[in-house]
Amino acid sequence: MLLSEEEFKSTFSSKGFLDVTETAENYDEKNFDEYVNNNLNNELENMHIDYVYDAKDGSFRHVVFTTSLKNVHYVVVINLRNKKIFGHYILDLNKEYGLSEK
């Protein structure tokens, strides 16, 4: 499910996030891969996981994919408490922070 900006921001912890890219375990690889493959936008090709962040309060995980589009990331949000995918968000840093697309 595509998350709204409000839904995505509700997954941020006031305690911050930890970079767990090197240590994160995949809780359900089959369902994760299926979810990603079924929810990709055609514009987001050649993606790969760049970072994995866990909320310090243990609530959510953000799996951040790099895309072929500069400063545009595909973020899959996982609810760590019930080990289910919460949804995904297209994070466009060009729009969010006025970065250059060039």
Side-chain angles (χ1 to χ4, degrees):
M1 165 180 91
L2 180 61
L3 300 172
S4 68
E5 181 178 359
E6 183 178 298
E7 290 169 320
F8 177 64
K9 288 184 176 180
S10 76
T11 67
F12 284 75
S13 166
S14 62
K15 296 180 181 183
F17 280 83
L18 294 170
D19 182 347
V20 297
T21 305
E22 299 297 323
T23 59
E25 293 183 26
N26 195 339
Y27 75 98
D28 188 346
E29 187 172 346
K30 182 179 181 233
N31 284 337
F32 181 81
D33 291 346
E34 186 177 298
Y35 180 88
V36 170
N37 289 332
N38 288 335
N39 289 285
L40 292 182
N41 184 318
N42 291 334
E43 296 172 12
L44 302 176
E45 297 174 355
N46 303 319
M47 297 184 358
H48 66 276
I49 294 174
D50 204 17
Y51 296 101
V52 180
Y53 296 105
D54 282 359
K56 287 184 180 180
D57 66 5
S59 57
F60 290 98
R61 170 173 290 166
H62 289 185
V63 181
V64 182
F65 288 80
T66 297
T67 71
S68 60
L69 302 172
K70 185 174 181 183
N71 299 321
V72 176
H73 303 279
Y74 179 85
V75 183
V76 176
V77 180
I78 299 169
N79 182 321
L80 291 174
R81 293 194 172 117
N82 67 15
K83 299 197 183 312
K84 293 192 186 255
I85 296 172
F86 183 67
H88 63 278
Y89 185 73
I90 308 301
L91 179 60
D92 185 344
L93 299 176
N94 300 311
K95 217 186 298 185
E96 188 84 18
Y97 297 107
L99 300 178
S100 172
E101 295 182 33
K102 296 179 183 178

